[in-house]
Amino acid sequence: MSVKVSHTADIQDLFKEASGLNNDQGSARLKVVMQRILQDAAKIIEDLQVTPDEFWNTVDYLNRLGGSNEAGLLVAGLGLEHYLDLLQDAQDAEVGLTGGTPRTIEGPLYVAGAPIAEGEARMDDGKEAGTVMFLQGRVFDAYGKPVAGATVDVWHANTQGSYSYFDQSQSDYNLRRRIITDAEGCYRARSIVPSGYGCSPDGPTQEVLTLLGRHGQRPAHIHFFISAPGYRHLTTQINLAGDKYLWDDFAYATREGLVGDIRFTEDAEAARSRGVEGRFAEVDFDFQLQKAPVADAEQRSKRPRALQEA
Ligand code: FE
């Protein structure tokens, strides 16, 4: 028999007081959100008959989650970050803001302030023996006109599936660059083929995924922020075709229109003309930006990130 008391006046008063709604200090916004969190948490406890042990195990879990810096990973794995994209898509559709390259999740591993290059960049520091990847494409507006001077802020993992800054064994900003498109809207990068990656097997995110009967793997992918004056900031990523996790991504980032074909070439002549030796890969991907409805839309979200700005 489940006993329900959270709806009673006494308990609603308790949550109101705990949320600070009986004082005039602090943040009015947070108070409203906090009251709702407390009310809904109590409802979950009662409806699902959450036991005290389950409750306190969850409190302990949250401490461990934060201690491992994995809260951003967990919200991706639980589909909440993808949900925010779907919500934004629906809000856009409501006001007729459609078209262009689809958005998809940023994930928790962006680092601001990557080196800036005009037109083309080499992204890897040459220390890792990966397969050379030539990544190139163009940025267009909604009418198919090239956007010159757009910033293509691109970041991806190494062959081990780890990212510079978070993986201290890599050099600063390895596999992270900002490339400014040329007069034809082109960007070109030489890098190495990234590997997919998984949640740390001993970490708190994988701990929950395992209890949900799920894996914590992502397909190989390349992240992008695309921005230009007058255009709406685009946060997206391309997931590479042929990866076994392409449509089984634990973070739900793969979307129609965001699958990148990767072509591997063994041709020695083609390699020579590219200035490389042996097998290499090519990825072509174009982006299409929406016009910014308001100036603020040119900027990325203010979400906290590693190294805020440079
Ligand atoms: Fe990633």
Side-chain angles (χ1 to χ4, degrees):
M1 265 290 270
S2 76
V3 177
K4 298 191 179 184
V5 294
S6 68
H7 61 282
T8 60
D10 278 358
I11 291 177
Q12 288 297 312
D13 284 349
L14 170 67
F15 291 156
K16 189 178 174 200
E17 164 59 28
S19 305
L21 286 159
N22 295 334
N23 73 61
D24 58 7
Q25 310 294 304
S27 160
R29 170 70 175 162
L30 181 63
K31 291 177 186 194
V32 171
V33 173
M34 188 61 73
Q35 181 187 35
R36 180 62 181 268
I37 290 172
L38 294 175
Q39 290 169 332
D40 286 4
K43 203 163 153 19
I44 291 169
I45 289 169
E46 293 178 354
D47 288 354
L48 302 182
Q49 299 178 44
V50 173
T51 68
D53 281 354
E54 287 174 328
F55 179 86
W56 292 111
N57 277 324
T58 303
V59 171
D60 176 64
Y61 177 80
L62 292 174
N63 278 333
R64 291 187 290 110
L65 182 70
S68 317
N69 234 332
E70 284 197 2
L73 197 61
L74 183 69
V75 294
L78 293 179
L80 284 169
E81 193 171 2
H82 180 51
Y83 155 76
L84 292 178
D85 283 339
L86 298 177
L87 176 64
Q88 183 70 63
D89 288 352
Q91 288 169 341
D92 285 356
E94 189 87 2
V95 295
L97 263 178
T98 54
T101 303
R103 64 167 55 81
T104 196
I105 69 167
E106 172 182 331
L109 304 173
Y110 177 75
V111 176
I116 298 177
E118 296 289 335
E120 57 189 308
R122 176 152 178 186
M123 296 180 65
D124 66 301
D125 61 12
K127 288 186 185 146
E128 200 177 346
T131 304
V132 173
M133 172 179 74
F134 292 101
L135 167 68
Q136 64 232 335
R138 298 174 77 186
V139 178
F140 295 105
D141 71 7
Y143 307 100
K145 201 165 108 350
V147 179
T151 301
V152 176
D153 195 340
V154 50
W155 71 103
H156 67 77
N158 68 0
T159 63
Q160 306 303 307
S162 53
Y163 286 83
S164 61
Y165 182 88
F166 301 95
D167 168 14
Q168 294 284 333
S169 77
Q170 294 183 47
S171 59
D172 287 352
Y173 290 112
N174 189 38
L175 311 179
R176 301 177 184 275
R177 287 295 182 277
R178 284 179 286 179
I179 305 169
I180 311 300
T181 57
D182 67 15
E184 276 75 52
C186 292
Y187 71 93
R188 289 182 193 83
R190 174 183 163 168
S191 196
I192 52 174
V193 176
S195 168
Y197 53 83
C199 298
S200 166
D202 306 324
T205 301
Q206 187 57 57
E207 177 185 332
V208 159
L209 292 173
T210 300
L211 289 169
L212 300 178
R214 294 179 47 201
H215 68 73
Q217 303 296 312
R218 295 218 55 207
H221 59 277
I222 304 166
H223 295 267
F224 293 90
F225 284 159
I226 315 284
S227 59
Y231 297 94
R232 200 168 183 211
H233 172 91
L234 173 68
T235 297
T236 196
Q237 52 178 282
I238 56 177
N239 289 268
L240 299 179
D243 192 296
K244 77 181 265 211
Y245 293 108
L246 181 64
W247 294 106
D248 187 20
D249 174 6
F250 99 97
Y252 307 102
T254 309
R255 304 189 75 176
E256 292 291 345
L258 294 177
V259 176
D261 283 320
I262 182 161
R263 304 184 306 280
F264 289 93
T265 309
E266 313 272 357
D267 185 346
E269 191 56 44
R272 239 188 322 274
S273 73
R274 286 285 209 173
V276 295
E277 271 176 45
R279 187 169 183 260
F280 67 95
E282 291 173 289
V283 176
D284 293 322
F285 205 86
D286 295 340
F287 298 93
Q288 192 168 32
L289 299 178
Q290 294 177 357
K291 216 166 182 43
V294 291
D296 204 39
E298 296 173 14
Q299 309 298 322
R300 61 178 181 247
S301 77
K302 305 282 187 292
R303 124 183 213 176
R305 298 177 174 90
L307 304 182
Q308 275 309 313
E309 200 39 88

